[in-house]
Amino acid sequence: MMQDDTNGESSFEFVERKIEGISLVDNAMRQEVPLGASLIPPSMATQGLGGVEPPSALPSFIEPSPRPSIDNTTAATSATSGTSTASSDPSSYNPAASAFYPKTFSPVIPASKGSDASLSTVDSNLETDPNAGVSSQLLGWVKGAVGGSAGILSRVTEKAKSSMNSMITTLDPQMKEFIYSGGAVDIVVASDKEIKISPVREAFQSVFGKATVTGLQVNTSTVAAAQPVGFAAGVKAAEERISAVRSAHNIPPEQTVLAVENFLVEIGENKWFDVGVLILSDPAREITLETFTQLTPVPAAVVSLAQEDTPAEYPLRWSGLSVTVGSIMANNLQVPHSEWHQALTGVSRREMILLAAKILAGLYKSSVGPIL
């Protein structure tokens, strides 16, 4: 409260005012409160702040795992002796060693190893050493993924070998014959012409992986070897080549022999085509297979010239001609005798024989099954 003095100066004076009732501070100082006692009223201490009860515990949705039963006699004996068993101590409980432990699928084991034998191995490991389950499964996965015929190392080796073979055969195509020769397939081609031997070799090696294909020169005398005409004459000429090569070179009876023969065929009126037949003979397995190449059209004028150049007294005229249409076509197209198919149609004779030989090799593989 401010008051004025006589000299005109202002001064302050504290005037004590009485407050009705006793303040909390005065009351606390006047009462004897023990040291360390709480000043919170008992009603608030029991009911909490605002009178709200403490929160209850959250519900648990995790079902407890089954615990093995403990024999009362064993528990009592352990308690008396002062020792505790592994089953009665919660900290030492091992679910892998328990009879209630479920044997579920482990992603560590690959699908290819999910056989009964591998499962039994894992079970035996768990029985002998419960802690060795994961390690044994991991070792089994590593063994199956890395080793074996389908393992990573095997695939890497095969890939490196294939890449090396491709590089070698690209630099030197003749090395393909030596790299892929061998195996259980051994075929003799009744011809010494490379245009017949090389496509047959390539076809059988591509189908079987490895195959030995060689050619032997042979001459026929019962069929017009120069230019057979008609399907019957063409098939007969190929069969004659197989018989002639066996007798001329003393080939064993069980040896597989293949013959390639081209012939003329008339389909429709004055429509001539050149076609090749491939016959495979395997007496040991009693297998005889045949297939044909793509038909190549031949001008009727060329066939007429070949007929005119064949003498009337030619003894094998019933089966064909003494002059090949290939020689006439080569002269007209100004190309070698073996390249007139390529010059006329854009597809070489080797490609035609190769495609037919692949079909024949596939049929042969299906016939022999897992033998080769």
Side-chain angles (χ1 to χ4, degrees):
M1 180 177 181
M2 185 176 64
Q3 296 180 353
D4 293 335
D5 289 341
T6 55
N7 54 5
E9 295 181 357
S10 298
S11 64
F12 289 89
E13 181 181 359
F14 293 94
V15 179
E16 183 180 0
R17 296 181 60 184
K18 293 289 185 178
I19 302 176
E20 296 180 358
I22 301 173
S23 64
L24 291 176
V25 177
D26 294 342
N27 190 18
M29 295 178 64
R30 291 171 183 173
Q31 294 179 358
E32 294 181 359
V33 180
L35 183 62
S38 174
L39 299 179
I40 301 175
S43 60
M44 295 182 64
T46 57
Q47 298 181 0
L49 296 177
V52 180
E53 296 182 358
S56 59
L58 295 176
S60 177
F61 298 97
I62 303 176
E63 297 182 0
S65 60
R67 300 288 299 275
S69 60
I70 303 175
D71 190 2
N72 295 331
T73 305
T74 305
T77 304
S78 302
T80 305
S81 60
T83 59
S84 60
T85 60
S87 60
S88 61
D89 188 4
S91 62
S92 63
Y93 173 65
N94 188 0
S98 174
F100 300 93
Y101 179 67
K103 295 180 175 61
T104 56
F105 172 77
S106 176
V108 178
I109 304 177
S112 60
K113 298 297 180 182
S115 59
D116 297 338
S118 60
L119 291 178
S120 61
T121 304
V122 175
D123 293 342
S124 62
N125 292 335
L126 289 176
E127 293 176 1
T128 55
D129 187 3
N131 297 325
V134 176
S135 61
S136 62
Q137 294 176 9
L138 181 59
L139 291 177
W141 176 83
V142 172
K143 183 179 179 181
V146 177
S149 59
I152 298 174
L153 295 180
S154 178
R155 292 196 297 268
V156 171
T157 303
E158 290 296 330
K159 185 66 176 178
K161 182 179 178 181
S162 177
S163 300
M164 181 63 67
N165 292 341
S166 299
M167 182 184 66
I168 294 174
T169 54
T170 301
L171 297 176
D172 188 1
Q174 295 181 354
M175 288 297 296
K176 186 181 295 185
E177 175 183 353
F178 301 97
I179 293 176
Y180 297 104
S181 295
V185 180
D186 186 4
I187 297 176
V188 173
V189 179
S191 176
D192 59 347
K193 302 295 190 294
E194 191 64 24
I195 196 172
K196 295 182 179 180
I197 300 172
S198 62
V200 172
R201 180 187 295 116
E202 181 179 346
F204 277 83
Q205 288 178 349
S206 64
V207 173
F208 288 93
K210 283 184 174 294
T212 302
V213 180
T214 56
L216 296 174
Q217 190 270 340
V218 64
N219 295 320
T220 59
S221 57
T222 59
V223 181
Q227 186 62 75
V229 178
F231 279 98
V235 173
K236 182 66 175 177
E239 294 174 347
E240 179 68 18
R241 283 183 176 274
I242 294 175
S243 301
V245 76
R246 289 186 185 277
S247 60
H249 299 278
N250 296 324
I251 294 177
E254 65 274 7
Q255 176 65 50
T256 303
V257 180
L258 188 147
V260 181
E261 187 67 44
N262 276 60
F263 58 93
L264 279 176
V265 60
E266 186 180 13
I267 301 176
E269 185 178 357
N270 208 23
K271 293 180 180 179
W272 295 91
F273 295 89
D274 174 82
V275 60
V277 59
L278 283 74
I279 299 180
L280 182 142
S281 174
D282 185 356
R285 299 179 179 88
E286 298 181 354
I287 297 175
T288 301
L289 301 171
E290 65 180 41
T291 186
F292 297 88
T293 65
Q294 176 66 39
L295 279 72
T296 303
V298 178
V302 175
V303 178
S304 300
L305 289 175
Q307 291 174 347
E308 294 175 0
D309 292 343
T310 300
E313 61 275 7
Y314 180 58
L316 300 177
R317 193 177 178 89
W318 63 271
S319 61
L321 306 173
S322 61
V323 179
T324 62
V325 295
S327 60
I328 301 175
M329 291 292 296
N331 292 331
N332 292 336
L333 297 173
Q334 299 297 316
V335 294
H337 180 272
S338 60
E339 297 180 5
W340 72 269
H341 296 81
Q342 173 77 31
L344 180 64
T345 64
V347 180
S348 65
R349 186 188 180 193
R350 187 187 185 281
E351 293 180 82
M352 298 179 185
I353 296 176
L354 175 61
L355 182 57
K358 284 185 177 181
I359 297 174
L360 193 65
L363 294 174
Y364 186 52
K365 187 175 183 179
S366 300
S367 301
V368 299
I371 298 176
L372 298 178

